[in-house]
Amino acid sequence: MSSLAATDSHATQERAKVIQPAWVRAMHWTNAFAMILMIMSGWQIYNASPLFGFTFPRSITLGGWLAGALLWHFAAMWLLMVNGLIYLATGFATGRFRRKLLPITPGGVASDVKAALTFKLAHDDLTKYNHVQKLLYAGIIAVGVVIVLSGLSIWKPVQLQWLTALFGGYDIARYVHFICMALIVAFLVVHVALAVLVPKSLRAMIIGR
Ligand code: HEM
């Protein structure tokens, strides 16, 4: 086999290994779409009664005004919740969460952080997550659950008063909801930056382009 063909088949194998199952990809992009709608409409809702000393620029919000934003928020909520529930059920039922996200150990996280900071983190098998990735992915799934629960508790504080009480009352639930949004946005920034930057450098390493 010529060296060009060998490089090509290596690249094809790498690509085939990296690709996620179709159901994960479909739910990932549905979730991304719903999340963007929830974040932008949430910012418009926030602007009507800011919790902190700032508001979000109108150009990055959705809905135009409070009532419009609430309509968007409650419409996208169904997409987010149905997709999220199917994702969680499938993740547990197929054993994917256990296989991909466990175990996470403090020692493993510490050594992977050290390896990353010294540019020694192994990228030889992209289908396996390192401990930092496992922690972040498991963490963001947990944040996703908390933002939905806190959202439900501020949406129906009378019908679901036990849930609102669990958060320490309506006002605290609102802060929890906002902080979860901030964590999701921070995760998104890093996640998108890595998705854009890392494959390029890896491609350069793997197939020399
Ligand atoms: C089932 C899911 C959700 C429900 C039921 C829900 C419900 C609500 C409700 C009722 C409000 C209005 C609070 C108020 O009037 O003060 C709100 C605000 C907000 N939501 Fe959601 N939400 C959900 C998911 C999300 C998600 C996934 C995000 C973003 C990632 C998000 C971001 C926001 C933001 C930024 C606000 C404004 C915070 C504030 O000023 O109180 N929400 N949400």
Side-chain angles (χ1 to χ4, degrees), residues 86-159:
I86 299 174
Y87 173 71
L88 286 181
T90 328
F92 283 116
T94 59
R96 182 181 164 84
F97 286 157
R98 190 174 24 82
R99 263 194 331 274
K100 290 286 207 177
L101 303 179
L102 293 180
I104 307 171
T105 60
V109 173
S111 74
D112 280 349
V113 168
K114 199 173 148 210
L117 292 177
T118 50
F119 301 102
K120 287 184 191 141
L121 196 58
H123 292 296
D124 41 359
D125 185 354
L126 296 179
T127 60
K128 288 210 175 92
Y129 298 148
N130 61 53
H131 277 74
V132 177
Q133 279 177 306
K134 286 182 188 179
L135 184 68
L136 286 180
Y137 290 149
I140 206 65
I141 293 171
V143 171
V145 171
V146 176
I147 201 166
V148 168
L149 292 179
S150 58
L152 290 174
S153 83
I154 52 180
W155 181 34
K156 299 281 180 199
V158 176
Q159 295 88 334

Side-chain angles (χ1 to χ4, degrees), residues 2-199:
S2 77
S3 75
L4 197 61
T7 316
D8 240 23
S9 91
H10 185 188
T12 312
Q13 277 168 18
E14 281 302 320
R15 259 197 302 274
K17 265 167 72 180
V18 173
I19 289 172
Q20 310 278 13
W23 66 269
V24 173
R25 269 182 292 153
M27 286 182 202
H28 172 267
W29 288 110
T30 307
N31 180 59
F33 177 65
M35 275 291 179
I36 301 286
L37 297 182
M38 295 306 273
I39 292 168
M40 292 175 69
S41 57
W43 287 347
Q44 179 73 54
I45 301 170
Y46 167 94
N47 281 357
S49 166
L51 288 166
F52 305 99
F54 68 90
T55 54
F56 294 94
R58 216 181 130 77
S59 55
I60 54 167
T61 63
L62 182 66
W65 66 305
L66 177 60
L70 283 168
L71 288 177
W72 274 103
H73 214 64
F74 296 140
M77 166 192 89
W78 294 108
L79 185 62
L80 183 88
M81 274 209 293
V82 171
N83 186 62
L85 283 174
I86 299 174
Y87 173 71
L88 286 181
T90 328
F92 283 116
T94 59
R96 182 181 164 84
F97 286 157
R98 190 174 24 82
R99 263 194 331 274
K100 290 286 207 177
L101 303 179
L102 293 180
I104 307 171
T105 60
V109 173
S111 74
D112 280 349
V113 168
K114 199 173 148 210
L117 292 177
T118 50
F119 301 102
K120 287 184 191 141
L121 196 58
H123 292 296
D124 41 359
D125 185 354
L126 296 179
T127 60
K128 288 210 175 92
Y129 298 148
N130 61 53
H131 277 74
V132 177
Q133 279 177 306
K134 286 182 188 179
L135 184 68
L136 286 180
Y137 290 149
I140 206 65
I141 293 171
V143 171
V145 171
V146 176
I147 201 166
V148 168
L149 292 179
S150 58
L152 290 174
S153 83
I154 52 180
W155 181 34
K156 299 281 180 199
V158 176
Q159 295 88 334
L160 301 175
Q161 46 190 283
W162 56 272
L163 186 59
T164 318
L166 214 64
F167 281 105
Y170 183 92
D171 292 327
I172 299 179
R174 227 189 122 186
Y175 279 101
V176 171
H177 199 63
F178 188 90
I179 289 165
C180 288
M181 177 279 295
L183 290 173
I184 290 171
V185 171
F187 173 86
L188 259 178
V189 170
V190 177
H191 189 63
V192 172
L194 289 178
V196 171
L197 296 175
V198 170

